[in-house]
């Protein structure tokens, strides 16, 4: 079969409530169960029939599609049969998302830290974060609904700490056709770089005092009382799109994840939900023979999932937390909506022989790790720093040894969080962050000549004096 041909297989998908098990059809966009209010996962009722195709055939097909010219299959829908086999080719949105590189730690960084790892650079998605995977899934499904129902106008809405709003606004502006984007942000808690993105895409950007959890309550209320398309991770189609991260990790390593660990920052818990779901699907089909170890990472300023799993199983009780200021803004969520999904999937993951852990890290450790990584040639965001801090913490706890190889989720591009880097270099973090710059990691510009001195020199003298100052600063010797 040509790798450019769109798949002929179609599945039958249903929403399944993680709480009461109720099932609903996918002819409408649902976020929570009408019976009990639980969140949904999507299930392909014909998934078992995929086992009739041998695992090597699936591997070969997905590998061959990496060379396709069909844009509907170039991105996350390279893994169409594993994700949303109810969509038609005309509905699929592709903006270049997915297939992000996995970059091994530089030798100097690996040797300095004493751990073997790589970053998966999700900042190389179109809006510079992993959220594009989910938006490709959500907007492709939304396109199908618009076509199916003949809707003239759809209002999409999301609560965000930055990356979700950037991705939602980008995809809405591209799809157009009556699809409008509204984003709700916590005032003063989104970086200027992230704020510029939905503004540039023409979204209606609104802010309220508070934190992400407050924004989430507002958009949830809207979704219950108005016809809007909610684009937060309560949207199960977003979770499907984000499963592609797991498939790409497996494909990068030749479909062999044995002896590997995946570290994922946990904010609203959608990404770790998606990654677990994807790993379980591949394992069930034999596409991967062994599940990797999976580590969720949370800052001590927003750690409800870590608190739950840090207790003995018999004593576990989930409780939201009041968040404090965090440099890992995308993870600064005290009541993640996808926690019920995590709980359900962790039980399935461990039953299938997988190992799941949560680790907690400090804000200081996050910033130190981000700066150290980027000083060694990486482009890690604060969430990437959080994952590296999590890896180092896992080693301290004896959960990782020298033979392990870890893949760290750098969820966004470092430039989105350059303000935090600047605060580190200036040692100007507000007290609530609890971050102090380590002098050996500080890098600041130096002025070679004062403006007054420059004004005193002609061009020839200026060039010679500036070059001499540069040579002294860099420790150069004359020829």
């Amino acid at each position: 079969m040509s790798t450019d041909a769109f798949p002929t297989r179609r599945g039958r998908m249903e929403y399944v409530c993680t709480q009461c098990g109720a099932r609903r059809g996918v002819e409408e966009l649902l976020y929570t169960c009408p019976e009990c209010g639980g969140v949904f996962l999507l299930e392909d009722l014909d998934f078992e029939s995929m086992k009739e195709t041998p695992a090597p055939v699936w591997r070969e097909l997905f590998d061959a599609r990496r060379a396709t010219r069909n844009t509907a299959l170039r991105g996350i829908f390279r893994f169409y049969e594993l994700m949303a086999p109810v969509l038609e080719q005309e509905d699929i949105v592709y903006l270049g998302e997915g297939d992000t590189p996995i970059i091994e730690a530089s030798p100097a960084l690996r040797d300095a830290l004493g751990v073997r790892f790589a970053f998966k650079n999700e900042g190389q998605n179109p809006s510079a974060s992993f959220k594009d995977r989910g938006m490709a899934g959500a907007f492709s499904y939304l396109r199908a609904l618009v076509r199916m129902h003949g809707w003239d106008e759809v209002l999409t809405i999301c609560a965000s700490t930055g990356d979700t709003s950037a991705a939602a606004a980008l995809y809405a502006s591209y799809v157009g056709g009556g699809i409008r984007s509204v984003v709700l942000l916590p005032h003063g808690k989104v970086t200027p770089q992230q704020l510029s993105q939905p503004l540039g895409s023409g979204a209606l950007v609104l802010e309220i005092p508070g934190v992400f959890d407050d924004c989430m309550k507002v958009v949830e209320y809207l979704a219950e009382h108005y016809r809007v398309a909610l684009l937060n991770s309560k949207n199960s189609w977003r979770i499907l799109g984000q499963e592609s991260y797991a498939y790409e990790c497996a494909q990068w390593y030749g479909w062999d994840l044995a002896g590997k660990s995946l570290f994922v920052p946990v904010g609203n818990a959608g990404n770790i939900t998606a990654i677990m779901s994807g790993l379980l699907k591949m394992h069930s089909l034999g596409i991967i023979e062994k599940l990797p170890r999976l580590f969720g990472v949370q800052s001590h300023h927003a750690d409800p999932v870590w608190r739950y799993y840090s207790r003995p199983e018999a004593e576990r009780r989930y409780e939201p937390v009041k968040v404090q200021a965090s440099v890992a803004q995308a993870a600064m969520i005290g009541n993640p909506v996808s926690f019920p999904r995590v709980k359900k999937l962790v039980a399935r993951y461990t039953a299938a022989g997988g190992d799941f852990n949560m680790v907690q890290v400090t804000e200081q450790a996050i910033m130190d790790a981000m700066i150290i990584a980027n000083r060694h040639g990486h482009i890690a965001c604060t969430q990437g720093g959080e994952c590296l801090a999590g890896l180092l913490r896992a080693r301290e706890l004896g959960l990782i040894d020298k033979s392990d190889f870890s893949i760290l989720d750098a969820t966004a591009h470092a430039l989105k969080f350059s303000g935090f880097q600047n605060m580190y270099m200036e040692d100007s973090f507000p007290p609530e962050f609890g971050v102090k710059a380590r002098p050996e990691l500080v890098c600041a510009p130096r002025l070679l000549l004062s403006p007054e001195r420059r004004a005193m020199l002609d061009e020839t003298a200026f060039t010679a004096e500036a070059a001499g100052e540069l040579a002294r600063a860099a420790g150069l010797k004359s020829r």
Side-chain angles (χ1 to χ4, degrees), residues 29-43:
L29 184 52
L30 295 174
Y31 314 106
T32 56
C33 176
E35 306 295 328
C36 71
V39 291
F40 286 120
L41 286 169
L42 282 160
E43 182 178 304

Side-chain angles (χ1 to χ4, degrees), residues 13 42 76 82-84 133-134 137 235-244 247 274 277 281:
M13 300 193 75
L42 282 160
I76 65 169
L82 293 172
M83 288 172 31
R133 296 179 182 275
N235 185 320
S236 304
W237 299 92
R238 258 197 55 188
I239 300 299
L240 277 187
Q242 288 165 215
E243 286 182 5
S244 58
Y247 307 142
S277 178
K281 286 181 183 179

Side-chain angles (χ1 to χ4, degrees), residues 232-310:
N232 287 98
S233 53
K234 268 195 172 180
N235 185 320
S236 304
W237 299 92
R238 258 197 55 188
I239 300 299
L240 277 187
Q242 288 165 215
E243 286 182 5
S244 58
Y245 180 98
Y247 307 142
E248 288 180 16
C249 285
Q251 186 173 46
W252 191 279
Y253 291 102
W255 308 102
D256 180 12
L257 293 177
K260 294 182 176 63
S261 299
L262 273 58
F263 281 76
V264 184
V266 177
N268 224 5
N271 213 25
I272 199 161
T273 292
I275 291 168
M276 264 194 291
S277 178
L279 292 170
L280 284 166
K281 286 181 183 179
M282 289 188 290
H283 187 256
S284 177
L285 296 174
I287 294 173
I288 59 172
E289 295 180 0
K290 186 173 175 56
L291 291 167
R293 301 180 72 197
L294 188 57
F295 289 82
V297 188
Q298 287 195 307
S299 162
H300 65 143
H301 282 184
D303 58 359
V305 182
W306 174 82
R307 292 188 189 199
Y308 178 84
Y309 283 104
S310 66

